[in-house]
Amino acid sequence: GVPWHLAGGPQAGGCGSVMRAYPFGLFFPAEQAADLALHHSCMTHRHPIALAACAAMATGVVGMMERDLVPDVLARMIEAASVASPVTASMMQDACLRAACHNSPDTVLNRYLGWAAHDAIAATCYLLARHYDDPVAAVLEAVNSPGDSDSLGTMVGALVGARHGLSGWPVEWVRDVERSDELLAVLDEDAGVEP
């Protein structure tokens, strides 16, 4: 009974909207992608930590698709988050520093469990910084983490996937995805290739 942009709870700060923010980075330039992702979050999650994480996620996808240097991508993600939530941006910065200092995943992924949006985007930054050139390692470390592992796998998978495309994944992973034939046909259609 309320407009869509007021439908989300003002204290809802889980990572649900962040997991679905990445497509904005596939179709729009960085600033517009961040803005759209932030506003889309309002349908379900209106807390600033969710808004910030969504903006960061979409910004990161743009940078990864453009194959920008990963430290630059991470810096732009942090900057995008800072607009809505300096706390989220600070957590992301901390996670990047921990990756640069080679802090162990046991330590960092127990600190940033991923249940809340700011934890999830911080953990994602850590995983991305560690494994940006190895999509399989990034996803495996995410899905074997002690917290909200499926969310972290989705988020880091979207980022490394944006950089490496379909060729970055093992053949059996692509083959075994539910309805993979249909998904591959869509890719072929977009590329102008007959399935």
Side-chain angles (χ1 to χ4, degrees):
V2 297
W4 67 267
H5 61 278
L6 299 176
Q11 296 305 311
C15 67
S17 62
V18 189
M19 290 189 295
R20 61 177 196 261
Y22 76 89
F24 294 103
L26 297 174
F27 297 104
F28 299 98
E31 190 173 315
Q32 186 179 10
D35 188 57
L36 289 168
L38 181 149
H39 283 92
H40 114 282
S41 182
C42 294
M43 291 186 293
T44 55
H45 298 74
R46 286 181 22 223
H47 194 285
I49 63 174
L51 304 179
C54 285
M57 187 69 192
T59 299
V61 169
V62 172
M64 294 299 278
M65 280 187 57
E66 293 177 353
R67 301 192 59 76
D68 293 341
L69 295 174
V70 173
D72 294 341
V73 172
L74 289 164
R76 287 195 300 274
M77 290 173 69
I78 292 165
E79 183 180 339
S82 71
V83 173
S85 171
V87 168
T88 301
S90 177
M91 291 171 70
M92 294 165 66
Q93 183 70 49
D94 176 70
C96 291
L97 180 61
R98 289 174 184 275
C101 292
H102 305 289
N103 287 182
S104 79
D106 289 339
T107 301
V108 179
L109 296 175
N110 273 297
R111 178 183 184 97
Y112 297 120
L113 292 168
W115 301 110
H118 56 347
D119 279 341
I121 197 68
T124 298
C125 287
Y126 172 79
L127 292 161
L128 180 61
R130 283 175 49 83
H131 301 295
Y132 62 87
D133 267 340
D134 189 345
V136 172
V139 169
L140 288 177
E141 191 162 274
V143 300
N144 287 290
S145 65
D148 193 358
S149 56
D150 61 322
S151 299
L152 298 182
T154 297
M155 292 167 63
V156 77
L159 288 162
V160 294
R163 185 177 197 86
H164 297 281
L166 202 54
S167 65
W169 305 108
V171 171
E172 61 274 15
W173 284 20
V174 174
R175 180 196 66 221
D176 294 342
V177 167
E178 184 178 352
R179 299 172 70 177
S180 63
D181 292 343
E182 293 174 44
L183 294 169
L184 291 170
V186 169
L187 285 175
D188 288 343
E189 287 172 15
D190 287 346
V193 176
E194 290 295 321

